[in-house]
């Protein structure tokens, strides 16, 4: 079966979803057959082998069920950086780049600083900051060993030596008066929020999404404890809400 035919099958299967069906079909086929998107577009009469067709059918079925495309491909771009992701981590989202923007605005380019990214997940925030501010030392913590394995992989992929990972719950692993800045994209969705039953959120780790007290529990904890870790004049930056 040719590339053109397989893409048509993918578009038809995805046509009822709220997505760019052709783009997603191309991404999934590229993943399945190990060919670049450029190759797919320029060789639409190329005949695919049986294994590629089987892999494409399998991941297409999962996408139709609603599994996020980032989990099917194992990657997502954030801050123009390619990150490995897995079902053990949240999928980095463009709006979180606003948080990185605010942090970088507060960090002079040529001055060293010590920063903690709490609840780092795949390490997207920590790595984006570390790449933009190589003079800064970034400590990234998470309660999940599985998430830290993904984050460590991402740091190695991008050859950074100014990001260090600690297993720990929020500020528990941080010494007092040791940080210039604490940054976090914590769980802030109420467990009763109906959006949890929609879209990609259905497949992302609940531990990284939901917080008690209508979504405010972890934010309140960070506000109460981060001040112990920050030096005088330090900054706490948190993402919250849509």
């Amino acid at each position: 079966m040719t590339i053109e035919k397989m893409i048509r099958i993918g578009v038809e299967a995805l046509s009822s979803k709220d997505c760019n069906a052709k783009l997603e079909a191309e991404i999934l086929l590229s993943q399945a057959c190990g060919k670049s998107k450029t190759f797919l577009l320029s060789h639409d009469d190329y005949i695919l082998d049986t294994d590629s067709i089987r892999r494409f059918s399998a991941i297409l079925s999962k996408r139709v069920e609603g599994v996020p495309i980032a989990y099917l491909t194992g990657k997502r771009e954030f801050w123009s950086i390619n990150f490995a992701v897995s079902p053990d981590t949240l999928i980095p989202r463009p709006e979180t780049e606003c948080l990185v923007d605010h942090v970088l605005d507060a960090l002079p380019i040529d001055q060293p600083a010590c920063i903690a990214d709490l609840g780092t997940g795949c390490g997207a925030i920590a790595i984006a900051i570390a790449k933009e501010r190589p003079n800064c030392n970034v400590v990234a913590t998470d309660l999940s060993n599985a998430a830290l394995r993904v984050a460590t992989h991402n740091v190695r992929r991008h050859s950074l030596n100014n990001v260090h990972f600690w297993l720990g719950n929020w500020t528990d692993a941080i010494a007092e008066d040791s940080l210039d800045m604490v940054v976090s994209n914590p769980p802030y969705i109420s467990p009763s929020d109906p959006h949890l039953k929609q879209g990609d959120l259905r497949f992302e780790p609940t531990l990284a999404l939901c917080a008690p007290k209508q979504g405010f529990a972890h934010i309140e904890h960070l506000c109460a404890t981060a001040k112990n870790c920050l030096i005088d004049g330090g900054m706490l930056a948190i993402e919250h809400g849509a």
Side-chain angles (χ1 to χ4, degrees):
M1 196 173 295
T2 65
I3 284 174
E4 181 184 22
K5 174 65 173 176
M6 292 306 297
I7 290 177
R8 284 208 308 267
I9 289 172
V11 170
E12 183 177 349
L14 296 168
S15 60
S16 62
K17 294 185 63 64
D18 183 19
C19 69
N20 185 328
K22 188 172 188 298
L23 176 61
E24 291 205 358
E26 292 168 351
I27 291 171
L28 294 176
L29 185 57
S30 175
Q31 177 73 15
C33 68
K35 304 289 187 183
S36 69
K37 185 179 175 184
T38 301
F39 181 91
L40 299 184
L41 296 176
S42 58
H43 297 79
D44 59 1
D45 59 348
Y46 180 86
I47 298 176
L48 295 164
D49 59 78
T50 303
D51 285 344
S52 294
I53 294 172
R54 176 182 52 80
R55 286 191 295 268
F56 177 68
S57 297
I59 60 176
L60 179 62
S61 294
K62 290 182 179 179
R63 182 60 186 136
V64 170
E65 292 170 4
V67 177
I69 199 163
Y71 289 160
L72 296 174
T73 61
K75 57 190 176 184
R76 172 58 61 91
E77 185 176 289
F78 177 86
W79 203 259
S80 299
I81 303 168
N82 284 317
F83 286 92
V85 297
S86 84
D88 295 308
T89 69
L90 287 185
I91 300 167
R93 288 169 168 79
E95 54 266 30
T96 301
E97 293 187 358
C98 295
L99 180 63
V100 175
D101 274 327
H102 282 294
V103 170
L104 295 178
D105 285 345
L107 291 171
I109 294 176
D110 56 350
Q111 292 184 19
C114 190
I115 303 153
D117 172 27
L118 305 182
T120 192
C122 72
I125 293 172
I127 290 170
I129 294 170
K131 284 181 74 74
E132 296 289 344
R133 297 292 185 269
N135 291 327
C136 291
N137 184 53
V138 183
V139 173
T141 74
D142 206 286
L143 191 61
S144 166
N145 258 317
L148 287 181
R149 283 193 292 271
V150 176
T152 301
H153 170 74
N154 282 321
V155 164
R156 289 172 179 164
R157 283 179 65 191
H158 297 290
S159 303
L160 294 170
N161 58 14
N162 59 332
V163 181
H164 311 280
F165 294 106
W166 295 349
L167 181 68
N169 184 44
W170 301 125
T171 58
D172 290 355
I174 309 293
E176 291 187 7
D177 303 320
S178 62
L179 299 172
D180 297 280
M181 182 177 295
V182 171
V183 58
S184 184
N185 178 16
Y188 55 70
I189 300 177
S190 170
S192 61
D193 193 314
H195 290 91
L196 292 169
K197 298 179 181 179
Q198 302 171 12
D200 290 358
L201 294 183
R202 293 173 295 159
F203 298 89
E204 294 184 83
T206 302
L207 184 67
L209 289 170
C210 296
K213 299 178 69 174
Q214 297 300 306
F216 283 97
H218 296 308
I219 290 174
E220 291 179 0
H221 178 78
L222 285 169
C223 290
T225 60
K227 60 186 178 183
N228 298 323
C229 305
L230 291 166
I231 63 171
D232 288 343
M235 175 177 168
L236 170 63
I238 297 176
E239 176 176 330
H240 174 256

